[in-house]
Amino acid sequence: MKFSQMKYTRPEFEPVNGKLMSLLQRFKDAKSSDEAFAAYKEADTYIQHVYSMFALAYIRNTLDTRDEFYDAERDYMDELGPKLMPVNMEFMTALIQSPFRKELEAAWGTLLFDKAEMELKTFKPEIVPDLQAENKLGSEYDKLMASAQIEFDGKTLTLAQLKPYHEDPDRSVREASLRAQTGWFMLHAEKLDSIFDELVKIRTRIAKTLGYENFVELGYYRKKRICYNIEKVEGFRKGVVDYIVPIATQLKAEQAKRIGVETIKIYDDPCEYLEGNAKPVGTADDIFTHGKKMYHELSSDTAEFIDFMLENELFDVLTRPGKSGGGYCSYIADHKSPFIFANFNGTSGDIDVLTHEAGHAFAAYEAREIYPSALSEYSSETAEVHSMSMEFFTWPWMEGFFGNQTKKYYKSHLGSALTFIPYGTMVDEFQHHIYQKPELSPKERNDLWLELEGKYRPYLDLAGFPFYGEGRRWQAQAHIYETPFYYIDYCLAEVVALAFWAEDQKDHGQAWAKYVRLTRLAGTKTFSDLLSGAGLPSPFVPETIKSIACAAIEWLESNN
């Protein structure tokens, strides 16, 4: 079904909760494993229908945050989700305690039960009001960002529309555009501080109500991190500082020389080449025409996938006033349809979106028949392996997007993967400190960020821009507000994606076969088991970080 034809009906609390309670009772009263299987399947199908309404409301609200109907529906969903959690948790408990657990595990494996046990650690009925408040604050941040209207170059621009100016070869344009952007953030600095301050207080209160010392442990449970812990993440961060930061610093020194500056000022950072960064040639339609050709040639699986996406209007990529910023992939279970949201702005990021978000969407499409639904839902670091690896697997088709700028794109793409990892790791360390010390004032949080900038991005000169100089850069990172502790998943995944890239350089067929197997396993195994099963190295091993960094820098140096 085309996205425009997908019907949205508000899932009212009383009938939804009543239906789920009835199905829960059927599951509890089952007299045989067959009855238990049947009750669970009906409940799972119904829950996926409800989640489909959540997805439709969210997508349509982000497409136009000024649409009053879907704005109200998103507010409603912010309240409904936590209200449905008690019955959801009762289902988890009933699943774990089922007299037919042995038969259920034989059919589905034990991971479903491990996930259920972890999810039960994240909820008590008394936290519902705080969960609703947390949701509302996340939506408030999103709407604030979408509301940005910045006067520049004789135009009124959104944050996404301003980005191409940040890459302009003319240094004065880069500086002026960044002043315009950061000026908007500084005008809203007090509001941004206020929203985050409330989020920290609420999350800390939720954690303490659940019996945790702080939100960090709860944050890991929310992310369902079964196969690794805080100590492993700390070890990963150390590996990044030891092996990636020096290489990122080297790459930025080379960039400074290339663009003719002594040091990388904050407004120089996005500009890779004095003659201009690699930019896609042609219109958005041209991009999609070649994108379709690319996925048809990559494999029969991706050909089927891209046809499905295009035929059913499952892309919205043009930026416009009122549209939320950024990009994402959502999934509408009723129609087994991924949906890709983005904001094209004429930079190479437009192609990265087409490959990155399509990696998410392809994985969702491949997992659409997996049951129970909890096993089709992969962990977030696994999901980012899907997306970031797809960016590299599509390299052979980049000439159709960039023409004679293709080599420049390769170098920027690979180099930016290396320089991103320290930034993403910095975001993670920042959040650990914030939630371990929730009493920090807004200024102390900013000071902390500034200190971490020196640790992870020592090559950047932040002087002259209060937004950066005061340590406020984190306020532009939506994940910090909306999905705490997600960001390290990008970094773990980037390391694995670079391992895929290195293998793909030697044997495309073998690397691609591994990738497809990984997507088809979806959430049936833990992140670590998926990697070991596919013969991929663990990002938690320092030698892995060192080896992928060396492979990437060797390629960059040999392709100067």
Side-chain angles (χ1 to χ4, degrees):
M1 183 181 290
K2 294 183 186 299
F3 178 74
S4 59
Q5 298 171 333
M6 293 180 187
K7 185 179 179 182
Y8 170 78
T9 305
R10 173 184 277 195
E12 298 287 353
F13 173 70
E14 292 297 339
V16 170
N17 194 63
K19 172 87 168 176
L20 290 173
M21 290 298 291
S22 174
L23 290 167
L24 171 63
Q25 197 58 49
R26 271 184 55 197
F27 182 77
K28 287 180 174 180
D29 293 343
K31 298 294 190 290
S32 68
S33 59
D34 285 345
E35 288 183 11
F37 276 113
Y40 189 91
K41 184 170 186 178
E42 187 175 344
D44 193 63
T45 301
Y46 183 67
I47 289 169
Q48 289 305 300
H49 166 68
V50 174
Y51 286 164
S52 294
M53 297 304 104
F54 273 75
L56 286 171
Y58 176 79
I59 294 167
R60 287 175 177 159
N61 174 247
T62 56
L63 292 176
D64 185 359
T65 58
R66 301 168 303 180
D67 183 310
E68 293 182 2
F69 176 80
Y70 282 108
D71 186 54
E73 291 309 287
R74 184 170 175 185
D75 288 344
Y76 172 75
M77 295 300 188
D78 284 344
E79 294 187 3
L80 177 63
K83 286 172 68 177
L84 290 174
M85 285 188 74
V87 66
N88 182 50
M89 294 301 170
E90 284 193 57
F91 245 112
M92 300 288 181
T93 302
L95 180 68
I96 291 167
Q97 297 177 353
S98 172
F100 306 107
R101 177 167 174 170
K102 186 177 179 181
E103 291 88 341
L104 296 169
E105 285 185 341
W108 301 333
T110 60
L111 185 57
L112 179 68
F113 297 85
D114 294 338
K115 288 181 176 181
E117 287 174 352
M118 189 163 281
E119 194 156 349
L120 285 169
K121 296 178 179 181
T122 69
F123 183 77
K124 286 181 180 178
E126 52 263 46
I127 70 171
V128 167
D130 277 336
L131 291 175
Q132 292 172 325
E134 183 183 7
N135 286 345
K136 287 179 181 178
L137 286 164
S139 294
E140 185 178 353
Y141 172 83
D142 192 38
K143 292 171 187 175
L144 176 61
M145 299 295 279
S147 74
Q149 296 281 283
I150 300 169
E151 299 300 323
F152 189 77
D153 193 25
K155 305 169 188 172
T156 302
L157 304 172
T158 64
L159 291 169
Q161 290 169 329
L162 195 59
K163 284 184 179 179
Y165 293 97
H166 300 338
E167 298 182 5
D168 199 287
D170 186 328
R171 201 179 197 195
S172 64
V173 173
R174 295 198 301 273
E175 180 178 1
S177 69
L178 196 65
R179 289 202 184 282
Q181 182 210 57
T182 57
W184 182 87
F185 275 100
M186 292 303 291
L187 280 174
H188 295 87
E190 188 175 331
K191 183 65 175 176
L192 289 163
D193 279 335
S194 173
I195 292 173
F196 190 66
D197 200 55
E198 281 301 307
L199 281 167
V200 172
K201 288 176 182 175
I202 288 168
R203 287 168 180 157
T204 299
R205 188 163 62 241
I206 290 171
K208 290 186 178 298
T209 300
L210 293 172
Y212 303 115
E213 182 180 354
N214 56 50
F215 180 72
V216 178
E217 187 176 5
L218 174 58
Y220 275 59
Y221 285 142
R222 282 187 175 185
K223 298 297 295 173
K224 298 186 181 69
R225 289 178 175 162
I226 292 171
C227 60
Y228 63 94
N229 56 22
I230 294 169
E231 288 70 32
K232 280 198 171 185
V233 172
E234 287 175 348
F236 175 81
R237 293 201 302 258
K238 184 179 185 303
V240 169
V241 171
D242 290 345
Y243 299 117
I244 305 290
V245 170
I247 286 177
T249 303
Q250 174 189 331
L251 290 174
K252 287 298 176 180
E254 292 170 2
Q255 178 185 337
K257 186 176 180 181
R258 201 164 55 238
I259 64 175
V261 299
E262 290 187 12
T263 59
I264 296 286
K265 298 278 190 183
I266 187 62
Y267 50 83
D268 295 321
D269 191 38
C271 180
E272 297 270 359
Y273 295 91
L274 199 56
E275 70 274 17
N277 292 2
K279 294 181 180 179
V281 295
T283 65
D285 287 341
D286 295 330
I287 288 173
F288 274 92
T289 297
H290 183 63
K292 181 176 181 178
K293 178 177 183 288
M294 174 178 73
Y295 284 118
H296 270 259
E297 292 177 357
L298 177 57
S299 73
S300 58
D301 296 314
T302 50
E304 177 187 318
F305 153 75
I306 197 65
D307 287 346
F308 178 83
M309 294 291 290
L310 292 171
E311 288 166 9
N312 291 290
E313 304 171 347
L314 297 169
F315 286 93
D316 190 296
V317 301
L318 300 181
T319 188
R320 54 186 176 271
K323 185 177 180 180
S324 286
Y328 65 78
C329 174
S330 188
Y331 185 69
I332 308 157
D334 274 359
H335 305 286
K336 297 182 179 178
S337 295
F339 184 92
I340 291 176
F341 173 102
N343 282 274
F344 277 13
N345 55 25
T347 68
S348 62
D350 297 351
I351 309 306
D352 294 337
V353 162
L354 187 62
T355 54
H356 181 101
E357 299 303 341
H360 285 309
F362 175 68
Y365 186 76
E366 288 293 285
R368 67 196 184 281
E369 301 297 344
I370 291 178
Y371 172 80
S373 61
L375 296 181
S376 72
E377 298 163 4
Y378 20 76
S379 58
S380 49
E381 66 284 298
T382 302
E384 298 307 335
V385 170
H386 299 155
S387 58
M388 290 175 159
S389 301
M390 181 66 86
E391 292 180 32
F392 289 113
F393 277 117
T394 52
W395 263 28
W397 289 269
M398 289 301 111
E399 189 171 353
F401 295 118
F402 293 101
N404 60 10
Q405 305 173 79
T406 303
K407 188 174 180 181
K408 189 193 293 185
Y409 170 77
Y410 288 151
K411 293 170 70 175
S412 293
H413 185 217
L414 187 57
S416 66
L418 293 170
T419 57
F420 165 76
I421 292 172
Y423 170 75
T425 307
M426 173 171 64
V427 170
D428 183 71
E429 184 168 345
F430 176 72
Q431 291 183 98
H432 277 78
H433 287 307
I434 289 298
Y435 289 109
Q436 286 165 347
K437 297 181 178 179
E439 70 281 1
L440 293 179
S441 67
K443 183 181 183 306
E444 288 171 326
R445 290 176 191 142
N446 296 339
D447 289 344
L448 169 62
W449 179 267
L450 205 55
E451 179 184 337
L452 294 174
E453 285 275 16
K455 178 179 179 179
Y456 287 99
R457 303 201 294 180
Y459 52 82
L460 276 181
D461 182 349
L462 309 177
F465 286 78
F467 180 66
Y468 290 93
E470 292 178 11
R472 292 182 175 274
R473 165 62 182 86
W474 61 271
Q475 294 180 329
Q477 192 61 63
H479 301 71
I480 293 176
Y481 284 80
E482 299 175 10
T483 51
F485 296 111
Y486 191 119
Y487 224 66
I488 196 66
D489 298 332
Y490 290 111
C491 305
L492 297 170
E494 192 76 273
V495 170
V496 178
L498 286 167
F500 260 133
W501 165 81
E503 183 169 344
D504 193 46
Q505 300 297 302
K506 300 172 184 175
D507 189 332
H508 171 75
Q510 178 176 296
W512 177 253
K514 280 186 180 182
Y515 176 78
V516 173
R517 283 200 302 274
L518 191 74
T519 61
R520 289 178 177 168
L521 285 170
T524 60
K525 296 181 182 294
T526 66
F527 176 57
S528 295
D529 286 345
L530 284 169
L531 296 184
S532 61
L536 292 164
S538 168
F540 296 110
V541 177
E543 187 57 37
T544 300
I545 300 173
K546 182 178 180 180
S547 65
I548 65 100
C550 289
I553 201 70
E554 182 181 337
W555 188 95
L556 288 166
E557 288 175 348
S558 64
N559 283 274
N560 271 330

